[in-house]
């Protein structure tokens, strides 16, 4: 069986705009979620986003993007 992780990362946020790419300790917030998924027992890590910025960051840190 193939196990896939899907991370939902909208570009637009009503509360904190672009919160997924705000830096925390020098790295974008979404990096920590991607790292946790890559270290888990899954075969693939995917990020679903409507933002080109998030897409590029997700790919940089090893996720595939929808």
């Amino acid at each position: 069986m193939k196990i896939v992780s899907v991370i939902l990362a909208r570009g637009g946020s009503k509360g904190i705009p672009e919160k997924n790419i705000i830096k925390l300790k020098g790295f974008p917030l979404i990096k920590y979620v991607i790292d946790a998924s890559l270290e888990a027992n899954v075969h693939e890590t995917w990020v679903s986003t409507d933002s080109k910025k998030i897409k590029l960051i997700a790919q940089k840190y090893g996720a595939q993007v929808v």
Side-chain angles (χ1 to χ4, degrees), residues 46-59:
W46 288 84
V47 172
S48 174
T49 187
D50 58 353
S51 166
K52 289 189 179 198
K53 289 180 186 178
I54 295 173
K55 175 184 176 180
L56 293 174
I57 291 169
Q59 290 173 328

Side-chain angles (χ1 to χ4, degrees), residues 25-46:
K25 294 187 178 185
F27 296 101
L29 188 60
I30 195 164
K31 176 196 181 303
Y32 296 100
V33 181
I34 292 169
D35 286 349
S37 176
L38 292 173
E39 292 174 9
N41 192 22
V42 298
H43 297 99
E44 295 179 0
T45 296
W46 288 84

